[in-house]
Amino acid sequence: APALARRVPPPGAQPHLHAPGAAEPPAARPADDRGALLVLDAENVVQAMSFLLTEQRVVLYSEHKARLAAAAEGLLGLLFPFCWQHIYIPVLPRKLLEYAQAPVPFLMGIDTNCLARVEIVNALPSSAVVDLDNNNVISPMEDTPVGNQGDGAVPGLPAAIRKVVERRLRAIAPPPRTLDGGEPSAAGDDAE
């Protein structure tokens, strides 16, 4: 049984605690708790993972706090066997927005009620912005290429590995959903 489904021992009984070791994957989650896999397509999930693996600053952006937390947990779970060792704030409170200016790697979720997307991109030019509501990833300094070519490029996964990961993600995850439950339009389309 998953660790979260365990019962509380009766009074006086010795509780049994189990902490997963470094070689154990995160606990299996129900299909609806796949976070990032439900709102981003495989290419954007891999791009967000690339930013985390290369220790970039990553901002998740959504109008739903639950979506921010689920996507953050989902992305960190996909990093296994690696473990995120940097700042992790799944939902950043409005009064702590200045923390997003930290010059260190981080994964933070920001609610649209705190800042508009344009404000986030302008205020955090060296952070990747993952828009969970529109299935879109904005690279740090948008004109900087993602990949292994050229000086100053944000490192990406090698093409062969990227294709395998994207194919496997597509196999385990349904197409991403929008806020109204439908499939999102192609990246860059302004459907509204």
Side-chain angles (χ1 to χ4, degrees):
L4 297 177
R6 304 228 185 242
R7 295 177 186 228
V8 175
Q14 185 69 13
H16 172 71
L17 301 176
H18 172 75
E24 295 181 54
R29 293 184 170 94
D32 286 342
D33 193 26
R34 288 190 187 150
L37 297 177
L38 293 177
V39 294
L40 297 174
D41 60 26
E43 293 82 8
N44 285 336
V45 170
V46 171
Q47 189 171 2
M49 286 175 49
S50 295
F51 292 132
L52 293 173
L53 288 168
T54 56
E55 299 180 330
Q56 303 292 314
R57 295 188 282 183
V58 179
V59 172
L60 303 178
Y61 181 74
S62 176
E63 68 179 89
H64 299 282
K65 291 178 183 170
R67 179 175 285 178
L68 290 170
E73 285 294 314
L75 285 170
L76 293 183
L78 288 172
L79 292 180
F80 182 80
F82 300 109
C83 182
W84 184 251
Q85 297 291 321
H86 302 288
I87 296 172
Y88 172 56
I89 306 174
V91 181
L92 185 68
R94 178 186 293 257
K95 64 183 177 181
L96 300 178
L97 281 175
E98 67 267 8
Y99 282 34
Q101 299 287 336
V104 296
F106 60 71
L107 174 59
M108 294 184 190
I110 296 180
D111 186 350
T112 59
N113 294 325
C114 292
L115 282 178
R117 180 176 167 204
V118 173
E119 292 176 85
I120 289 177
V121 172
N122 291 335
L124 306 170
S126 60
S127 299
V129 177
V130 180
D131 185 343
L132 301 173
D133 297 335
N134 296 305
N135 184 26
N136 191 20
V137 177
I138 301 169
S139 300
M141 298 167 277
E142 187 61 43
D143 56 344
T144 302
V146 177
N148 297 323
Q149 69 281 15
D151 292 333
V154 176
L157 293 176
I161 293 173
R162 183 181 194 94
K163 288 179 184 178
V164 169
V165 173
E166 287 174 0
R167 186 180 42 174
R168 289 185 180 175
L169 286 172
R170 280 189 209 99
I172 65 168
R177 294 182 290 197
T178 60
L179 296 176
D180 61 3
E183 289 191 24
S185 59
D189 288 355
D190 293 329
E192 297 182 54

